[in-house]
Amino acid sequence: MIRCFARIPLIGAPFISTVHFTSPPSIRIFASRSPSSSSTVAASRRSISLTIIAVTSSVVSSVSFSSPALAEFSEIPNSGGVKALDLRTGDGEVPIEGDQIEIHYYGRLAAKQGWRFDSTYDHKDSNGEAVPFTFILGSSKVIPGIETAVRSMKVGGIRRVIIPPSQGYQNTSQEPLPPNFFDRQRLFTTIFNPTRLANGEGSTLGTLVFDIELVSTRSLHQ
């Protein structure tokens, strides 16, 4: 077995960490030195093509994609179960309670096969520039999992966090909110689906995955 390791993708990329290939049978192509008829050559070419197709199918069918092992994530202390993986360590300031925070993020919903329900990179200003999401750390207007994630980050860092339902959306007014109405509706009808909640699926419906880039932190008390 040949094992190929891919670096953890940066912000917004799918969860693909390891690709396994089982060694395909070798392909041997024999060329005749003696003259041959056109029909013989055509038959040989068809045989070679079929062999290549068969080998290619064998390789493709043996590719397996696996999510990053949870061992690569570490649970943030006193976070209620939020797990973090630093994709890039920042070199700027660490935010403190009451600071005005700016972040970029990709938000995905685990219950929808990683459906990306929102991204600040899609929020553009009049000049076409991506607009960061701004909030006050500790204001409780933002889902707890995001506040927990940025508290121990440095400006310039990128962190992937897995946020359990208890630290995610508890109501439909908590931020960040997708600006598109249909995205909001799909998000909340999944998380707060009464039938699935009654079936005991509440522990998984609201699990979120965020890639967060800490853009800036600014004290409002200066």
Side-chain angles (χ1 to χ4, degrees):
M1 177 172 286
I2 302 171
R3 184 182 293 267
C4 300
F5 293 96
R7 290 186 300 174
I8 296 296
L10 289 183
I11 189 166
F15 290 158
I16 301 175
S17 61
T18 307
V19 181
H20 303 285
F21 295 89
T22 55
S23 299
S26 58
I27 303 174
R28 294 184 180 180
I29 300 176
F30 297 96
S32 174
R33 294 174 180 266
S34 60
S36 58
S37 65
S38 60
S39 60
T40 303
V41 172
S44 298
R45 287 175 178 171
R46 283 196 298 272
S47 177
I48 291 169
S49 298
L50 290 172
T51 302
I52 292 174
I53 291 170
V55 171
T56 303
S57 300
S58 172
V59 173
V60 171
S61 64
S62 67
V63 176
S64 64
F65 297 95
S66 59
S67 298
L70 287 181
E72 297 177 336
F73 288 79
S74 59
E75 185 169 329
I76 300 175
N78 305 314
S79 67
V82 177
K83 294 180 173 62
L85 174 65
D86 285 317
L87 304 180
R88 184 177 73 197
T89 303
D91 56 6
E93 296 181 6
V94 176
I96 60 175
E97 213 75 1
D99 280 2
Q100 179 175 285
I101 308 296
E102 287 188 336
I103 61 172
H104 276 302
Y105 63 79
Y106 283 92
R108 297 186 289 273
L109 183 62
K112 287 286 188 181
Q113 293 79 45
W115 167 57
R116 193 183 78 179
F117 59 84
D118 193 18
S119 168
T120 53
Y121 291 99
D122 296 333
H123 307 170
K124 308 291 187 180
D125 61 16
S126 58
N127 296 319
E129 298 292 330
V131 179
F133 172 63
T134 303
F135 65 98
I136 306 300
L137 186 60
S139 65
S140 300
K141 293 182 178 180
V142 176
I143 58 174
I146 287 184
E147 290 203 328
T148 296
V150 302
R151 279 192 177 99
S152 54
M153 292 179 68
K154 292 182 179 181
V155 171
I158 297 176
R159 173 173 285 181
R160 176 169 292 164
V161 290
I162 301 174
I163 302 175
S166 63
Q167 303 301 309
Y169 292 102
Q170 303 302 305
N171 57 65
T172 58
S173 62
Q174 284 180 297
E175 297 179 332
L177 293 171
N180 182 283
F181 169 78
F182 296 103
D183 287 339
R184 290 198 304 273
Q185 187 177 47
R186 184 183 180 189
L187 174 66
F188 293 130
T189 53
T190 300
I191 293 176
F192 303 119
N193 185 303
T195 302
R196 296 181 68 180
L197 289 173
N199 290 336
E201 298 181 57
S203 61
T204 58
L205 286 180
T207 299
L208 308 169
V209 181
F210 271 86
D211 287 351
I212 301 171
E213 178 182 6
L214 181 54
V215 177
S216 71
T217 179
R218 183 170 66 91
S219 174
L220 300 178
H221 304 293
Q222 294 180 347

